[in-house]
Amino acid sequence: MQKLVIEGGTPLFGEIMTQGAKNAVLPVLAACVLCEGTVHLKNCPCISDRYASARILSALGAKVKTEGNSLTADCTGLSSDEISCYLMKAMRSSIIFMGALLGRTGKCTLCYPGGCNLGPRPIDMHISAMRKMGGIISDEHGVISCSAPDGLKGCRHSLSFPSVGATENIMLAAVCAEGETIISNAAREPEICCLADFLRACGAKISGDGGGRIAIEGVKKLTAPDEAFEIIPDRIAAATYLSCAACAGGELLIRDCAPAHLEAVLPVFEQAGCRLKVFGSNIYIYRKGRLRAADTIRTMVYPGFPTDAQAILMAPLCTAEGTTVFVENIFENRYRHTDALCRMGADIKAEGKVAVVTGVPRLYGTVAEAPDLRGGAALVCAALGAEGISEISGVNYIDRGYEEIERVLTAAGAKIRREAEKLP
Ligand code: EPZ
């Protein structure tokens, strides 16, 4: 096991290149199952979830080669349509292979996905959508067997909630299904558009992505694009590094991100007193002096304030002048980072959906464990601004979504290192 050791109090200076998006590369890797030929991907983040997805592809019989931020996947000769529970449990996004495999082979066997514990994360919408398209789905003690003996048929779906995962699964099931599929109240996240762009590059007929109503005309087959496909920048990683500067002070240039994808997030930094400048695909942030509390932050589906940035923005607001209220509307149990922040000296009262953060003058280093991916990132942000040394374990959570976070932050002047955890 590993931990991050962070000495706080050093302002950050420098440039940070934004990594490729975790939540975009994962559905694109699942989509490779539907393609003939070799898919070339670039700007793939070097994160453990990406490797977990590549392991699933290899287990299905695909030829996968990775080299830094590039990856090739050839799924022409798939030899299996079963994904072990061990591989499924590695992350939530493994469930997206259901739509891809049903669309490609007409059957698959998998089990319930893993992923961060953010409260209940059912897959009822995924399963009912597959059934509506002609899938036969059974669940024997957690093993999910799926088949579509007559092939999948396009149809209308009206999602009760614009679920990101369910939208992606339906898109993958529909691209080679018979006839037209309409998804109303579809998720509108940029990662959905990235998946649609990839599928179109492979010959799919998709329109309306990003607008909440997606139309898909099934085609006979998909073929790997001639050109390498570029994964979009990670908006949550960009928000995280902005938050590091807001916590530690100093000035940072976040390069090659997509500022438009952060329209609900950037105003919070400005309200808190950070100076921000957006130019092209870069964001410059400068923080000096004490922050101010921000208006109430309500997490929403895109283009609202992202739930994945909730913990990350809470970290700097722990030392702001005044009180900020958070309302978490997407997940039932996404305040598990507040215990550790309170151990650092923060004043947070969290109950149900609401967390009330009353700013304190400063935080102090502590020993804490990352509760999940974004909670772990929030502890790193807070530790950079805290007085003294922090030791954060559970780094495996952080590695799921951030590419070598300690190398990236050290290059911006942070005092952070990774160490093996000494077992008692
Ligand atoms: C995606 O998860 C992201 N993960 C999450 O990011 C992100 O928090 C979430 O979307 C919301 O933006 C990936 O893309 C890999 P949902 P997903 O289906 O697809 C309920 C991170 O930190 N729901 O939109 O699992 C569900 O319980 C991660 O990078 C059902 O009830 O999210 C939740 O309350 C964490 N039934 C809500 O909808 C279903 O069948 C949103 O879930 C599906 C979802």
Side-chain angles (χ1 to χ4, degrees):
M1 294 292 274
Q2 297 182 318
K3 63 183 176 186
L4 292 172
V5 180
I6 302 170
E7 184 181 338
T10 309
L12 303 181
F13 291 92
E15 296 188 2
I16 290 182
M17 291 298 285
T18 309
Q19 63 178 67
K22 168 180 90 76
N23 294 345
V25 74
L26 299 178
V28 166
L29 286 170
C32 292
V33 162
L34 292 156
C35 295
E36 276 186 21
T38 303
V39 170
H40 296 258
L41 299 178
K42 56 185 181 181
N43 201 31
C44 296
C46 298
I47 54 173
S48 57
D49 273 14
R50 165 202 147 162
Y51 299 123
S53 204
R55 277 194 295 279
I56 292 178
L57 284 173
S58 303
L60 294 170
K63 296 192 192 77
V64 182
K65 285 201 201 99
T66 64
E67 206 182 316
N69 295 113
S70 297
L71 177 149
T72 62
D74 181 353
C75 296
T76 312
L78 280 194
S79 53
S80 168
D81 49 34
E82 287 193 28
I83 306 177
S84 69
C85 277
Y86 171 76
L87 290 176
M88 286 296 292
K89 293 284 175 223
M91 59 181 178
R92 168 79 180 181
S93 204
S94 53
I95 195 65
I96 314 289
F97 281 89
M98 178 193 275
L101 284 167
L102 265 180
R104 165 77 189 261
T105 67
K107 64 184 180 66
C108 62
T109 306
L110 24 78
C111 72
Y112 285 85
C116 287
N117 170 4
L118 309 174
R121 299 183 80 178
I123 55 170
D124 54 312
M125 289 186 218
H126 301 243
I127 290 180
S128 57
M130 296 304 134
R131 284 192 172 128
K132 208 169 173 202
M133 298 178 78
I136 300 167
I137 317 260
S138 65
D139 172 349
E140 296 273 326
H141 316 299
V143 174
I144 307 172
S145 305
C146 317
S147 66
D150 310 325
L152 293 173
K153 309 265 183 295
C155 66
R156 287 177 174 278
H157 302 270
S158 176
L159 299 183
S160 57
F161 183 89
S163 153
V164 172
T167 301
E168 292 165 345
N169 234 334
I170 298 170
M171 289 167 73
L172 296 182
V175 276
C176 295
E178 192 188 311
E180 185 181 45
T181 295
I182 302 287
I183 314 172
S184 307
N185 198 25
R188 301 168 58 184
E189 274 68 5
E191 295 77 24
I192 297 287
C193 301
C194 181
L195 176 61
D197 286 341
F198 173 71
L199 292 167
R200 278 189 286 263
C202 302
K205 293 187 176 153
I206 303 179
S207 59
D209 45 295
R213 184 182 180 281
I214 300 176
I216 303 165
E217 185 63 45
V219 296
K220 284 262 166 299
K221 67 176 181 140
L222 297 184
T223 309
D226 299 333
E227 308 286 311
F229 182 82
E230 179 150 4
I231 300 296
I232 58 171
D234 195 316
R235 59 195 166 105
I236 307 299
T240 305
Y241 292 119
L242 289 169
S243 183
C244 289
C247 286
E251 50 186 327
L252 273 185
L253 183 65
I254 311 296
R255 300 196 72 110
D256 292 352
C257 61
H261 295 168
L262 288 166
E263 269 174 14
V265 174
L266 300 182
V268 179
F269 286 108
E270 287 176 320
Q271 269 174 26
C274 296
R275 207 179 323 142
L276 280 188
K277 192 160 177 358
V278 173
F279 48 102
S281 60
N282 309 312
I283 303 174
Y284 166 82
I285 183 167
Y286 175 67
R287 199 279 278 170
K288 193 159 181 285
R290 191 166 179 198
L291 296 176
R292 296 184 295 273
D295 296 345
T296 298
I297 296 172
R298 292 180 180 80
T299 66
M300 310 285 270
V301 295
Y302 193 86
F305 186 93
T307 172
D308 296 345
Q310 176 253 99
I312 288 156
L313 264 293
M314 189 180 282
L317 292 164
C318 288
T319 54
E321 195 117 32
T323 299
T324 305
V325 176
F326 287 77
V327 183
E328 174 55 57
N329 290 310
I330 308 295
F331 291 106
E332 283 180 28
N333 185 14
R334 199 163 203 180
Y335 287 134
R336 298 194 304 138
H337 47 281
T338 57
D339 292 353
L341 289 172
C342 287
R343 258 208 315 284
M344 297 174 91
D347 177 351
I348 307 171
K349 305 221 170 11
E351 202 164 320
K353 285 184 162 196
V354 177
V356 179
V357 179
T358 304
V360 296
R362 70 182 56 72
L363 297 182
Y364 299 90
T366 190
V367 176
E369 179 159 5
D372 51 52
L373 166 58
R374 307 303 173 182
L379 297 182
V380 170
C381 298
L384 290 170
E387 211 167 285
I389 307 270
S390 297
E391 291 190 8
I392 300 171
S393 57
V395 182
N396 50 305
Y397 280 117
I398 298 171
D399 289 340
R400 290 195 42 215
Y402 295 92
E403 195 173 288
E404 298 179 287
I405 195 165
E406 76 280 8
R407 177 186 57 74
V408 171
L409 287 169
T410 301
K415 294 186 177 148
I416 177 171
R417 64 182 187 278
R418 181 183 295 248
E419 273 183 14
E421 252 200 307
K422 298 189 190 61
L423 297 174

PDB file of all heavy atoms in Angstrom, residues 336-355:
ATOM      1  N   ARG A 336     -18.154  11.719   2.557  1.00  0.00           N
ATOM      2  CA  ARG A 336     -17.292  10.933   3.458  1.00  0.00           C
ATOM      3  C   ARG A 336     -15.933  11.586   3.665  1.00  0.00           C
ATOM      4  O   ARG A 336     -15.185  11.211   4.557  1.00  0.00           O
ATOM      5  CB  ARG A 336     -17.166   9.502   2.952  1.00  0.00           C
ATOM      6  CG  ARG A 336     -18.525   8.780   2.932  1.00  0.00           C
ATOM      7  CD  ARG A 336     -18.444   7.299   2.756  1.00  0.00           C
ATOM      8  NE  ARG A 336     -17.714   6.960   1.546  1.00  0.00           N
ATOM      9  CZ  ARG A 336     -16.829   5.969   1.486  1.00  0.00           C
ATOM     10  NH1 ARG A 336     -16.550   5.279   2.573  1.00  0.00           N
ATOM     11  NH2 ARG A 336     -16.206   5.686   0.364  1.00  0.00           N
ATOM     12  N   HIS A 337     -15.596  12.582   2.851  1.00  0.00           N
ATOM     13  CA  HIS A 337     -14.311  13.297   3.010  1.00  0.00           C
ATOM     14  C   HIS A 337     -14.379  14.306   4.152  1.00  0.00           C
ATOM     15  O   HIS A 337     -13.352  14.798   4.610  1.00  0.00           O
ATOM     16  CB  HIS A 337     -13.952  14.033   1.717  1.00  0.00           C
ATOM     17  CG  HIS A 337     -15.095  14.805   1.164  1.00  0.00           C
ATOM     18  ND1 HIS A 337     -16.126  14.197   0.447  1.00  0.00           N
ATOM     19  CD2 HIS A 337     -15.444  16.105   1.279  1.00  0.00           C
ATOM     20  CE1 HIS A 337     -17.006  15.112   0.096  1.00  0.00           C
ATOM     21  NE2 HIS A 337     -16.632  16.272   0.596  1.00  0.00           N
ATOM     22  N   THR A 338     -15.611  14.620   4.619  1.00  0.00           N
ATOM     23  CA  THR A 338     -15.709  15.706   5.620  1.00  0.00           C
ATOM     24  C   THR A 338     -15.095  15.309   6.966  1.00  0.00           C
ATOM     25  O   THR A 338     -14.557  16.169   7.665  1.00  0.00           O
ATOM     26  CB  THR A 338     -17.185  16.128   5.812  1.00  0.00           C
ATOM     27  OG1 THR A 338     -17.942  14.982   6.197  1.00  0.00           O
ATOM     28  CG2 THR A 338     -17.758  16.718   4.524  1.00  0.00           C
ATOM     29  N   ASP A 339     -15.119  14.020   7.313  1.00  0.00           N
ATOM     30  CA  ASP A 339     -14.503  13.605   8.596  1.00  0.00           C
ATOM     31  C   ASP A 339     -13.027  14.009   8.628  1.00  0.00           C
ATOM     32  O   ASP A 339     -12.551  14.640   9.578  1.00  0.00           O
ATOM     33  CB  ASP A 339     -14.591  12.077   8.781  1.00  0.00           C
ATOM     34  CG  ASP A 339     -16.032  11.634   8.973  1.00  0.00           C
ATOM     35  OD1 ASP A 339     -16.895  12.522   9.092  1.00  0.00           O
ATOM     36  OD2 ASP A 339     -16.273  10.402   8.960  1.00  0.00           O
ATOM     37  N   ALA A 340     -12.328  13.652   7.562  1.00  0.00           N
ATOM     38  CA  ALA A 340     -10.885  13.953   7.535  1.00  0.00           C
ATOM     39  C   ALA A 340     -10.635  15.463   7.481  1.00  0.00           C
ATOM     40  O   ALA A 340      -9.734  15.974   8.151  1.00  0.00           O
ATOM     41  CB  ALA A 340     -10.249  13.268   6.330  1.00  0.00           C
ATOM     42  N   LEU A 341     -11.467  16.187   6.738  1.00  0.00           N
ATOM     43  CA  LEU A 341     -11.290  17.655   6.686  1.00  0.00           C
ATOM     44  C   LEU A 341     -11.515  18.239   8.086  1.00  0.00           C
ATOM     45  O   LEU A 341     -10.800  19.144   8.512  1.00  0.00           O
ATOM     46  CB  LEU A 341     -12.249  18.266   5.675  1.00  0.00           C
ATOM     47  CG  LEU A 341     -11.944  17.989   4.195  1.00  0.00           C
ATOM     48  CD1 LEU A 341     -13.074  18.496   3.302  1.00  0.00           C
ATOM     49  CD2 LEU A 341     -10.615  18.638   3.777  1.00  0.00           C
ATOM     50  N   CYS A 342     -12.482  17.690   8.818  1.00  0.00           N
ATOM     51  CA  CYS A 342     -12.723  18.189  10.179  1.00  0.00           C
ATOM     52  C   CYS A 342     -11.538  17.851  11.087  1.00  0.00           C
ATOM     53  O   CYS A 342     -11.162  18.644  11.946  1.00  0.00           O
ATOM     54  CB  CYS A 342     -14.020  17.590  10.724  1.00  0.00           C
ATOM     55  SG  CYS A 342     -15.467  18.325   9.930  1.00  0.00           S
ATOM     56  N   ARG A 343     -10.900  16.701  10.835  1.00  0.00           N
ATOM     57  CA  ARG A 343      -9.710  16.372  11.633  1.00  0.00           C
ATOM     58  C   ARG A 343      -8.581  17.365  11.335  1.00  0.00           C
ATOM     59  O   ARG A 343      -7.723  17.616  12.147  1.00  0.00           O
ATOM     60  CB  ARG A 343      -9.231  14.946  11.310  1.00  0.00           C
ATOM     61  CG  ARG A 343      -9.642  13.934  12.371  1.00  0.00           C
ATOM     62  CD  ARG A 343      -8.715  12.744  12.496  1.00  0.00           C
ATOM     63  NE  ARG A 343      -8.307  12.160  11.248  1.00  0.00           N
ATOM     64  CZ  ARG A 343      -9.087  11.375  10.498  1.00  0.00           C
ATOM     65  NH1 ARG A 343     -10.330  11.143  10.871  1.00  0.00           N
ATOM     66  NH2 ARG A 343      -8.640  10.857   9.390  1.00  0.00           N
ATOM     67  N   MET A 344      -8.632  17.979  10.142  1.00  0.00           N
ATOM     68  CA  MET A 344      -7.614  18.995   9.811  1.00  0.00           C
ATOM     69  C   MET A 344      -7.959  20.344  10.426  1.00  0.00           C
ATOM     70  O   MET A 344      -7.226  21.318  10.268  1.00  0.00           O
ATOM     71  CB  MET A 344      -7.490  19.124   8.292  1.00  0.00           C
ATOM     72  CG  MET A 344      -7.022  17.859   7.607  1.00  0.00           C
ATOM     73  SD  MET A 344      -7.061  17.999   5.810  1.00  0.00           S
ATOM     74  CE  MET A 344      -5.382  18.600   5.510  1.00  0.00           C
ATOM     75  N   GLY A 345      -9.148  20.390  11.090  1.00  0.00           N
ATOM     76  CA  GLY A 345      -9.539  21.638  11.752  1.00  0.00           C
ATOM     77  C   GLY A 345     -10.704  22.351  11.089  1.00  0.00           C
ATOM     78  O   GLY A 345     -11.123  23.423  11.538  1.00  0.00           O
ATOM     79  N   ALA A 346     -11.236  21.757  10.010  1.00  0.00           N
ATOM     80  CA  ALA A 346     -12.368  22.403   9.326  1.00  0.00           C
ATOM     81  C   ALA A 346     -13.623  22.322  10.193  1.00  0.00           C
ATOM     82  O   ALA A 346     -13.735  21.457  11.069  1.00  0.00           O
ATOM     83  CB  ALA A 346     -12.605  21.719   7.988  1.00  0.00           C
ATOM     84  N   ASP A 347     -14.559  23.220   9.904  1.00  0.00           N
ATOM     85  CA  ASP A 347     -15.840  23.244  10.635  1.00  0.00           C
ATOM     86  C   ASP A 347     -16.934  22.920   9.627  1.00  0.00           C
ATOM     87  O   ASP A 347     -17.412  23.795   8.892  1.00  0.00           O
ATOM     88  CB  ASP A 347     -16.044  24.633  11.258  1.00  0.00           C
ATOM     89  CG  ASP A 347     -17.393  24.751  11.964  1.00  0.00           C
ATOM     90  OD1 ASP A 347     -18.216  23.823  11.818  1.00  0.00           O
ATOM     91  OD2 ASP A 347     -17.627  25.784  12.625  1.00  0.00           O
ATOM     92  N   ILE A 348     -17.287  21.635   9.536  1.00  0.00           N
ATOM     93  CA  ILE A 348     -18.283  21.187   8.549  1.00  0.00           C
ATOM     94  C   ILE A 348     -19.382  20.398   9.260  1.00  0.00           C
ATOM     95  O   ILE A 348     -19.078  19.484  10.029  1.00  0.00           O
ATOM     96  CB  ILE A 348     -17.640  20.287   7.476  1.00  0.00           C
ATOM     97  CG1 ILE A 348     -16.416  20.960   6.840  1.00  0.00           C
ATOM     98  CG2 ILE A 348     -18.662  19.908   6.412  1.00  0.00           C
ATOM     99  CD1 ILE A 348     -15.601  20.053   5.933  1.00  0.00           C
ATOM    100  N   LYS A 349     -20.617  20.768   8.996  1.00  0.00           N
ATOM    101  CA  LYS A 349     -21.756  19.995   9.533  1.00  0.00           C
ATOM    102  C   LYS A 349     -22.463  19.395   8.316  1.00  0.00           C
ATOM    103  O   LYS A 349     -22.996  20.137   7.493  1.00  0.00           O
ATOM    104  CB  LYS A 349     -22.695  20.903  10.320  1.00  0.00           C
ATOM    105  CG  LYS A 349     -21.969  21.676  11.433  1.00  0.00           C
ATOM    106  CD  LYS A 349     -22.661  21.796  12.696  1.00  0.00           C
ATOM    107  CE  LYS A 349     -21.736  22.377  13.800  1.00  0.00           C
ATOM    108  NZ  LYS A 349     -20.437  22.941  13.369  1.00  0.00           N
ATOM    109  N   ALA A 350     -22.377  18.080   8.204  1.00  0.00           N
ATOM    110  CA  ALA A 350     -22.986  17.423   7.044  1.00  0.00           C
ATOM    111  C   ALA A 350     -24.131  16.530   7.524  1.00  0.00           C
ATOM    112  O   ALA A 350     -23.951  15.739   8.456  1.00  0.00           O
ATOM    113  CB  ALA A 350     -21.950  16.579   6.305  1.00  0.00           C
ATOM    114  N   GLU A 351     -25.279  16.695   6.884  1.00  0.00           N
ATOM    115  CA  GLU A 351     -26.427  15.855   7.226  1.00  0.00           C
ATOM    116  C   GLU A 351     -27.278  15.654   5.985  1.00  0.00           C
ATOM    117  O   GLU A 351     -27.643  16.639   5.316  1.00  0.00           O
ATOM    118  CB  GLU A 351     -27.279  16.522   8.307  1.00  0.00           C
ATOM    119  CG  GLU A 351     -28.130  15.503   9.050  1.00  0.00           C
ATOM    120  CD  GLU A 351     -28.666  16.061  10.360  1.00  0.00           C
ATOM    121  OE1 GLU A 351     -27.897  16.768  11.046  1.00  0.00           O
ATOM    122  OE2 GLU A 351     -29.856  15.840  10.616  1.00  0.00           O
ATOM    123  N   GLY A 352     -27.471  14.408   5.622  1.00  0.00           N
ATOM    124  CA  GLY A 352     -28.261  14.130   4.421  1.00  0.00           C
ATOM    125  C   GLY A 352     -27.616  14.761   3.199  1.00  0.00           C
ATOM    126  O   GLY A 352     -26.409  14.626   2.985  1.00  0.00           O
ATOM    127  N   LYS A 353     -28.393  15.530   2.473  1.00  0.00           N
ATOM    128  CA  LYS A 353     -27.887  16.146   1.239  1.00  0.00           C
ATOM    129  C   LYS A 353     -27.038  17.380   1.503  1.00  0.00           C
ATOM    130  O   LYS A 353     -26.321  17.832   0.620  1.00  0.00           O
ATOM    131  CB  LYS A 353     -29.076  16.620   0.386  1.00  0.00           C
ATOM    132  CG  LYS A 353     -29.855  15.570  -0.343  1.00  0.00           C
ATOM    133  CD  LYS A 353     -30.908  16.268  -1.195  1.00  0.00           C
ATOM    134  CE  LYS A 353     -31.446  15.358  -2.265  1.00  0.00           C
ATOM    135  NZ  LYS A 353     -32.154  16.123  -3.314  1.00  0.00           N
ATOM    136  N   VAL A 354     -27.147  17.962   2.703  1.00  0.00           N
ATOM    137  CA  VAL A 354     -26.587  19.285   2.956  1.00  0.00           C
ATOM    138  C   VAL A 354     -25.318  19.240   3.800  1.00  0.00           C
ATOM    139  O   VAL A 354     -25.229  18.464   4.763  1.00  0.00           O
ATOM    140  CB  VAL A 354     -27.652  20.190   3.649  1.00  0.00           C
ATOM    141  CG1 VAL A 354     -27.071  21.556   3.981  1.00  0.00           C
ATOM    142  CG2 VAL A 354     -28.884  20.310   2.773  1.00  0.00           C
ATOM    143  N   ALA A 355     -24.344  20.052   3.421  1.00  0.00           N
ATOM    144  CA  ALA A 355     -23.140  20.235   4.247  1.00  0.00           C
ATOM    145  C   ALA A 355     -22.922  21.738   4.409  1.00  0.00           C
ATOM    146  O   ALA A 355     -22.926  22.478   3.418  1.00  0.00           O
ATOM    147  CB  ALA A 355     -21.921  19.594   3.587  1.00  0.00           C
TER     148      ALA A 355
END
